[in-house]
Amino acid sequence: MSVQHDPVQRADFDQVMVPSYAPATFVPVRGAGSRVWDQSGRELIDFSGGIAVNALGHAHPALVKALTEQAGKLWHVSNVFTNEPALRLARKLVDATFADRVFLCNSGAEANEAAFKLARRVAHDRFGADKYEIIAATNSFHGRTLFTVSVGGQPKYSDGFGPKIQGITHVPYNDLEALRAAISDKTCAVVIEPIQGEGGVLPADLAYLQGARALCDEHNALLVFDEVQSGVGRSGHLYAYQHYGVTPDVLSSAKSLGGGFPIAAMLTTEALASHLAVGTHGTTYGGNPLGCAVAEALLDVVNTPEVLAGVKAKHERFKTRLLQIGERYGVFSGVRGMGLLIGAVLSDAWKGKAREFFDAAASENLMILQAGPDVVRFAPSLVIEDADIDEGLDRFERAVAKLTGA
Ligand SMILES: *Cc1c(COP(=O)(O)O)cnc(C)c1O
């Protein structure tokens, strides 16, 4: 017997939801690969990837299989018990990265919260109570809990919620001299996104990351890479740090890790992990069998030479066409990013108007993203078909042509 629900629509959002989001005017109901259908049956191409989350698009057979098989076996046991999918996932993450130890949790903010708490704990244990300062970058984004908005470099997200977490300094991104001037023996961690995502899809300079590594070593501070957005194949490498060849002490991963199922991980070394002794940190849902089964299946697909090489090739396909569109309509001053995390920077004439591009694209049956008011962001499935890229960019060009009155 099927239960009859009252039909819901976008207008209900404004009546039953906290108004902290401004979702698009349509309601997606189904997806397959890089196509999505809304309530009216309209088909859209998805270049937004659930904000760099749906790494294998929608309803990928390997993920559906992993989820449904696990759903019939075991969903949750808590961390009073461990479980097989969690152990397999952690083994795969350790084998594929610098890390020896993994802490599993449910969101990017939680992975960062664990990273920042670990950094403070390590410094406290090794050097005493005065070494607690964290240096982060202006315009960075690390999540929405009070600690992570305080570390994040965008005051609009942290102002107005009472006292912030103390001991946090922000310096301009990609500015090694500013970091050098700010760091001291009171610094416990330097936190960097190897590619700033929300801040405008801005990749780090190699010399900046190398310099940050050296400064951290000099001052006994941990180098924390927030790879929540740049990780899990998005850059064309499993993690962006592997592209740069600069290894952090702690790395946070989420978004693409579950391909749409909420799961996250903090990766670190054995020596550092030993500071999180029994009882020091935890989460009820972290490492639950469902999420871990999905993430394990996702890693098996993404962490292959074919898929990672495909991401780099698809980057070029996007970039070439976006540069053409930018030139033809005068809307972009440049196209940047890595792999399938791409930002088209609006030209002076269009600065501040990224939302208009979002709406214009939606009118042409295309889902895209902004990264702040000045950057149009693309974060599609890592296995998006070339034909979908071409068709989506045709739609995007039509949107831009209408917007510019060309
Ligand atoms: C999205 C994001 C986060 C926060 O992740 P949530 O899952 O929303 O908590 C943290 N850091 C970066 C770089 C992100 O892009």
Side-chain angles (χ1 to χ4, degrees):
M1 197 183 82
S2 75
V3 181
Q4 201 64 40
H5 292 289
D6 287 339
V8 288
Q9 24 189 314
R10 171 62 180 81
D12 291 317
F13 183 94
D14 303 323
Q15 283 165 16
V16 295
M17 294 293 192
V18 165
S20 59
Y21 303 112
T25 52
F26 61 95
V27 180
V29 294
R30 186 168 68 85
S34 288
R35 306 268 168 160
V36 166
W37 289 266
D38 75 3
Q39 286 182 312
S40 71
R42 180 170 72 122
E43 185 201 78
L44 297 106
I45 291 179
D46 187 1
F47 281 176
S48 66
I51 315 187
V53 166
N54 300 322
L56 296 179
H58 299 275
H60 189 283
L63 302 193
V64 172
K65 180 168 181 279
L67 182 68
T68 50
E69 281 186 7
Q70 188 59 43
K73 282 188 198 160
L74 189 69
W75 291 22
H76 177 80
V77 288
S78 88
N79 286 298
V80 174
F81 312 92
T82 188
N83 66 80
E84 290 179 348
L87 294 171
R88 284 197 301 264
L89 172 62
R91 173 65 65 196
K92 283 187 174 157
L93 288 168
V94 164
D95 285 348
T97 66
F98 74 96
D100 317 305
R101 292 286 188 270
V102 176
F103 175 79
L104 295 170
C105 46
N106 313 290
S107 68
E110 275 180 79
N112 283 327
E113 185 88 15
F116 305 158
K117 283 180 71 181
L118 172 64
R120 284 197 163 174
R121 190 74 176 203
V122 168
H124 187 276
D125 290 351
R126 289 182 179 173
F127 301 101
D130 287 339
K131 190 176 175 70
Y132 60 83
E133 289 180 5
I134 294 174
I135 302 177
T138 310
N139 248 348
S140 64
F141 184 81
H142 301 299
R144 299 294 200 126
T145 64
L146 191 57
F147 199 166
T148 56
V149 282
S150 299
V151 174
Q154 303 190 52
K156 67 177 180 197
Y157 294 141
S158 55
D159 287 348
F161 293 103
K164 299 178 192 182
I165 304 283
Q166 296 299 293
I168 296 160
T169 309
H170 296 100
V171 293
Y173 189 69
N174 267 338
D175 185 339
L176 187 57
E177 289 322 305
L179 181 58
R180 192 190 308 282
I183 200 168
S184 76
D185 289 340
K186 293 181 76 178
T187 306
C188 73
V190 172
V191 181
I192 297 175
E193 293 167 81
I195 307 168
Q196 275 196 342
E198 299 305 307
V201 191
L202 185 57
D205 298 333
L206 174 59
Y208 171 62
L209 295 186
Q210 288 172 332
R213 177 71 274 176
L215 286 171
C216 284
D217 292 342
E218 222 171 283
H219 293 278
N220 293 310
L222 302 188
L223 181 60
V224 178
F225 280 173
D226 179 344
E227 292 230 32
V228 169
Q229 190 154 163
S230 61
V232 194
R234 185 110 338 242
S235 69
H237 300 259
L238 186 62
Y239 288 99
Y241 87 85
Q242 294 164 324
H243 161 77
Y244 288 99
V246 176
T247 303
D249 301 294
V250 184
L251 181 149
S252 54
S253 184
K255 290 204 167 93
S256 289
L257 184 59
F261 196 99
I263 182 166
M266 179 198 71
L267 312 183
T268 190
T269 63
E270 181 178 358
L272 295 172
S274 68
H275 291 264
L276 291 183
V278 173
T280 50
H281 193 57
T283 149
T284 298
Y285 290 120
N288 70 81
L290 279 179
C292 292
V294 173
E296 189 201 350
L298 184 137
L299 279 181
D300 284 345
V301 177
V302 168
N303 195 21
T304 55
E306 309 79 69
V307 168
L308 296 176
V311 170
K312 290 178 193 150
K314 291 172 200 304
H315 173 93
E316 293 307 322
R317 199 172 190 95
F318 260 98
K319 187 168 180 177
T320 304
R321 183 78 187 276
L322 286 172
L323 286 170
Q324 283 170 2
I325 293 171
E327 210 160 288
R328 196 166 297 156
Y329 301 92
V331 286
F332 303 142
S333 64
V335 175
R336 65 192 183 195
M338 276 170 67
L340 287 173
L341 182 56
I342 298 170
V345 185
L346 295 177
S347 60
D348 285 344
W350 290 92
K351 263 205 164 51
K353 295 184 172 162
R355 177 77 194 202
E356 291 183 27
F357 286 78
F358 175 90
D359 290 332
S363 301
E364 294 297 325
N365 305 331
L366 177 68
M367 296 153 77
I368 60 170
L369 297 167
Q370 323 173 208
D374 302 331
V375 176
V376 177
R377 175 173 38 162
F378 304 87
S381 158
L382 304 183
V383 295
I384 184 170
E385 304 280 344
D386 286 346
D388 286 342
I389 297 177
D390 295 345
E391 167 72 19
L393 287 169
D394 286 346
R395 295 181 188 188
F396 183 67
E397 178 158 1
R398 281 202 293 277
V400 171
K402 275 194 190 151
L403 197 58
T404 56

